[in-house]
Amino acid sequence: MNQQLLAKTFVELADNLVADFDLIDFLRLLTDRCVGMLDASAAGVLLADRDGELRVMAASDERVRLLELFQLQNDEGPCLECFRTGAPVAVTDLTREIGRWPRFVAAAHRSGFGAVQALPMRLRDETVGALNLFHAAPGPFDPVGTLVAQALADVATISLLQQRSAHRSTVLNEQLQNALNSRVLIEQAKGKLAERQGIDMEQAFTALRTYARAHNRRLSDVARAFIDSSEPLPGLAV
């Protein structure tokens, strides 16, 4: 494990403990670093909205985003179980769980995954979501990597809950709702950019995110400007 990158990641996650940070970009950073540092092929984050319904908020690639959506639509899978119980779920070989989650296991194999870890995003008795690590091949998980992943999930959870003092539920609900609205904008912008440039959705997201960071702008603002054509975005390309 890259110790310098690990230290940098904790600093970056902690640096987001401010009033107005870009939640979508923050969670994408979390998934990307889990893939980059840990023995995971892909990662995703599910968060609960104001009604307690889980939503896909970040994914390291498009196939994971679709698989997470599949879990929600079919109401089965390790990530939902993790959120509902507040406890980690570790499946070293998905083929052994075909009776438990038949539709999810089939979909996961179609997506190229043979094992999964779901880690709760929880502070004390409050669970706000789940960090999910997908592995291409079945096999035991690195215990150190699991501890690091849970620590990253914990830091991310603190970042989400840090404003919840006098108006705890209101602040988080508004923050999550704004993030959900931003997610819709970003998905629309991804589709429009992908169609315009003849690229896939993951390349489109990378282009939007790179532009936003290069110009020190919120990802959702860049997405809105691109959809509305309200301003020129020179250099927005793969």
Side-chain angles (χ1 to χ4, degrees):
M1 187 181 301
N2 187 322
Q3 298 297 324
Q4 288 185 333
L5 182 58
L6 177 60
K8 179 182 178 183
T9 299
F10 277 113
V11 170
E12 287 175 321
L13 293 177
D15 278 347
N16 283 287
L17 296 174
V18 295
D20 185 29
F21 70 91
D22 191 330
L23 181 56
I24 299 297
D25 194 51
F26 169 76
L27 294 174
R28 179 59 187 254
L29 170 68
L30 175 62
T31 60
D32 286 352
R33 290 299 169 80
C34 283
V35 174
M37 294 187 302
L38 308 176
D39 185 25
S41 303
V45 172
L46 301 178
L47 290 182
D49 64 14
R50 66 180 63 185
D51 298 317
E53 296 295 324
L54 281 178
R55 306 289 183 181
V56 181
M57 298 305 298
S60 60
D61 60 45
E62 189 67 10
R63 60 183 177 148
V64 170
R65 187 182 75 85
L66 295 175
L67 183 58
E68 298 278 42
L69 285 172
F70 184 89
Q71 284 194 83
L72 299 180
Q73 291 165 355
N74 289 275
D75 195 34
E76 69 168 48
C79 308
L80 274 73
E81 183 173 311
C82 172
F83 171 73
R84 289 167 178 167
T85 64
V89 176
V91 182
T92 58
D93 187 349
L94 279 168
T95 59
R96 298 177 181 175
E97 304 296 339
I98 189 70
R100 187 178 181 186
W101 308 305
R103 289 168 293 186
F104 170 77
V105 170
H109 277 290
R110 287 195 298 269
S111 299
F113 301 121
V116 63
Q117 290 175 284
L119 304 170
M121 297 182 69
R122 182 190 63 220
L123 184 62
R124 300 184 182 91
D125 59 348
E126 184 169 10
T127 304
V128 300
L131 170 64
N132 312 306
L133 307 181
F134 297 87
H135 302 257
F141 304 127
D142 175 16
V144 174
T146 298
L147 289 174
V148 170
Q150 185 63 69
L152 292 172
D154 291 343
V155 171
T157 304
I158 292 170
S159 294
L160 292 172
L161 298 177
Q162 57 89 24
Q163 294 186 34
R164 300 183 67 184
S165 51
H167 305 287
R168 298 175 73 238
S169 60
T170 300
V171 170
L172 182 63
N173 286 338
E174 289 178 355
Q175 187 181 63
L176 292 182
Q177 191 59 47
N178 289 337
L180 287 169
N181 295 337
S182 296
R183 180 80 259 175
V184 172
L185 279 174
I186 293 165
E187 290 301 317
Q188 292 174 344
K190 281 168 55 180
K192 182 176 179 180
L193 184 60
E195 181 179 8
R196 177 173 295 182
Q197 295 198 5
I199 57 179
D200 63 33
M201 296 286 278
E202 186 63 25
Q203 290 173 313
F205 178 85
T206 299
L208 290 165
R209 188 188 191 197
T210 299
Y211 185 93
R213 289 192 165 191
H215 294 81
N216 197 28
R217 298 184 59 178
R218 293 171 62 88
L219 182 57
S220 56
D221 291 340
V222 172
R224 181 181 290 106
F226 179 69
I227 293 169
D228 297 341
S229 300
S230 57
E231 62 178 277
L233 299 173
L236 178 58
V238 178

